[in-house]
Amino acid sequence: MRTDMDPPVTLGLPLDQPEPPDDCDVCSALVRQRTEAAEAQDLSRVSDLNVEIRNHHQMVPLRRRQ
């Protein structure tokens, strides 16, 4: 049985807000929603929208059939 403590958790600094391309209508809508959420001080929603913006243009790897 272990009697020692786990080491402390180390958290990094939060990521900067993503800056999406200007020519993407989806990203523009997400930025507007993020602004509205920030004005309403809904920081959880701001964080969720930042993740959506970051992931919107990432390539999704295709799965191979097995």
Side-chain angles (χ1 to χ4, degrees):
M1 174 183 225
R2 254 181 91 181
T3 59
D4 58 333
M5 295 175 54
D6 289 333
V9 175
T10 304
L11 300 175
L13 294 173
L15 297 172
D16 291 334
Q17 287 195 354
E19 292 299 326
D22 293 332
D23 60 346
C24 178
D25 292 337
V26 172
C27 286
S28 295
L30 292 171
V31 168
R32 279 192 300 277
Q33 291 175 35
R34 179 178 69 186
T35 302
E36 291 169 2
E39 288 170 355
Q41 298 195 3
D42 186 352
L43 300 182
S44 177
R45 181 78 175 133
V46 169
S47 178
D48 292 345
L49 289 163
N50 283 337
V51 170
E52 267 192 79
I53 292 167
R54 255 186 222 103
N55 291 336
H56 182 247
H57 289 281
Q58 287 185 354
M59 297 296 292
V60 177
L62 298 175
R63 297 174 115 183
R64 288 187 175 188
R65 289 186 185 199
Q66 293 185 8

